[in-house]
Amino acid sequence: MKTVAGAFLLAVLIAPVQAQTLPGGFVFLRDIDPTIIQDIRYASSNNFTGRPLAGYGGAECVVKREVGLRLKAVQQELAQKNLSLKMYDCYRPARAVADMVAWSRNGKETAAERRYNPAFAKADLFRLGYIATHSLHSTGAAVDLTLVDLTADNSGKFDPAKDYADCTAPAAARAPEGSVDMGTGYDCSDVKGHTATDRITPAQRRWRTMLVAAMARQGFVNYAKEWWHFSLPGAGGPAYDFPITRAR
């Protein structure tokens, strides 16, 4: 009996440490639907800054609960076609947005950074509408995502030491995405990344159309300059700055 009581007491003491309470109606997406693939780029070096952004202490998709439930509904529809959503970014702490601003103004432009914006300088990203100084991501109502064909070989891994072609190049030459070919890589600040561009192939157009349609059926609205960016009107609110940590 003492052993059982001791184990129970230990569980009670440990539980509050393991449980995490998120503010403002936020949830970890994996608690809503663990089948949705996550590749949170700003928690790694695989993004346009080449390093993790401030506030990304864990590679976790955090969203408002309503957003999570609707993403689950999208995932259930896609599963019937052997497809899955893949999350690139979800809630973005305000400090990460400030980090992006500082990065854009540091006066440096490396070859790795140019892969994401081959046509113009990174200092112009905000003026041209590719990055916002006040992001909907910080409200929990916006997400960046793509589609994964679950029947395909998605084993390609990003190698930070490799000299990849820029984000507008054919899929075989640019950094591996582990997803369907949408015509550009994620975070490609280029006209080719605009959702309705005519500079992509018919097959790439069909993938984009499928993604936009599936998201629209759950109320999500696409941002015209980024095929990967969607927001849920009315689900946001104030911008938050709490850091992202691991779900458990």
Side-chain angles (χ1 to χ4, degrees):
M1 291 297 292
K2 288 183 178 179
T3 301
V4 173
F8 176 78
L9 178 59
L10 181 61
V12 170
L13 292 174
I14 291 176
V17 176
Q18 292 178 332
Q20 295 186 43
T21 302
L22 297 173
F26 284 89
V27 295
F28 288 104
L29 180 61
R30 71 175 66 254
D31 290 338
I32 299 291
D33 190 337
T35 72
I36 297 177
I37 300 168
Q38 297 190 28
D39 181 12
I40 308 302
R41 295 291 182 84
Y42 299 143
S44 72
S45 62
N46 187 10
N47 63 65
F48 58 83
T49 70
R51 58 172 175 76
L53 289 180
Y56 283 82
E60 291 286 350
C61 175
V62 174
V63 290
K64 286 294 185 73
R65 178 172 294 277
E66 182 181 2
V67 173
L69 292 173
R70 297 200 186 205
L71 289 173
K72 179 181 178 71
V74 175
Q75 181 77 345
Q76 290 174 334
E77 175 188 336
L78 293 173
Q80 299 174 26
K81 304 174 184 178
N82 286 317
L83 298 172
S84 173
L85 291 175
K86 181 177 185 177
M87 312 305 299
Y88 286 136
D89 193 35
C90 302
Y91 159 72
R92 183 182 304 165
R95 71 189 72 182
V97 179
D99 199 3
M100 288 181 180
V101 174
W103 165 84
S104 74
R105 297 172 179 171
N106 66 13
K108 302 175 184 178
E109 196 102 37
T110 68
E113 292 173 348
R114 293 290 293 176
R115 292 205 310 263
Y116 292 88
N117 52 302
F120 44 80
K122 69 182 187 180
D124 294 327
L125 290 172
F126 291 88
R127 178 179 61 82
L128 295 174
Y130 290 106
I131 303 178
T133 53
H134 300 283
S135 175
L136 269 179
H137 281 279
S138 299
T139 73
V143 291
D144 294 343
L145 46 72
T146 189
L147 294 174
V148 174
D149 180 354
L150 297 175
T151 67
D153 178 7
N154 299 303
S155 62
K157 301 296 182 182
F158 173 73
D159 181 354
K162 190 171 181 179
D163 185 21
Y164 296 107
D166 73 61
C167 60
T168 66
R174 62 181 188 258
E177 299 280 343
S179 59
V180 303
D181 182 9
M182 290 288 189
T184 75
Y186 168 57
D187 259 354
C188 189
S189 299
D190 188 88
V191 172
K192 198 173 179 182
H194 294 189
T195 308
T197 183
D198 59 2
R199 302 184 185 183
I200 56 177
T201 68
Q204 293 162 350
R205 163 69 52 221
R206 285 193 293 273
W207 284 124
R208 292 191 187 191
T209 299
M210 181 182 294
L211 177 60
V212 171
M215 294 294 286
R217 281 191 283 274
Q218 290 300 322
F220 289 96
V221 177
N222 174 247
Y223 177 48
K225 287 189 174 183
E226 299 176 346
W227 59 257
W228 55 85
H229 179 99
F230 294 84
S231 59
L232 185 62
Y240 286 78
D241 191 36
F242 63 89
I244 300 170
T245 59
R246 293 184 180 183
R248 56 178 66 87

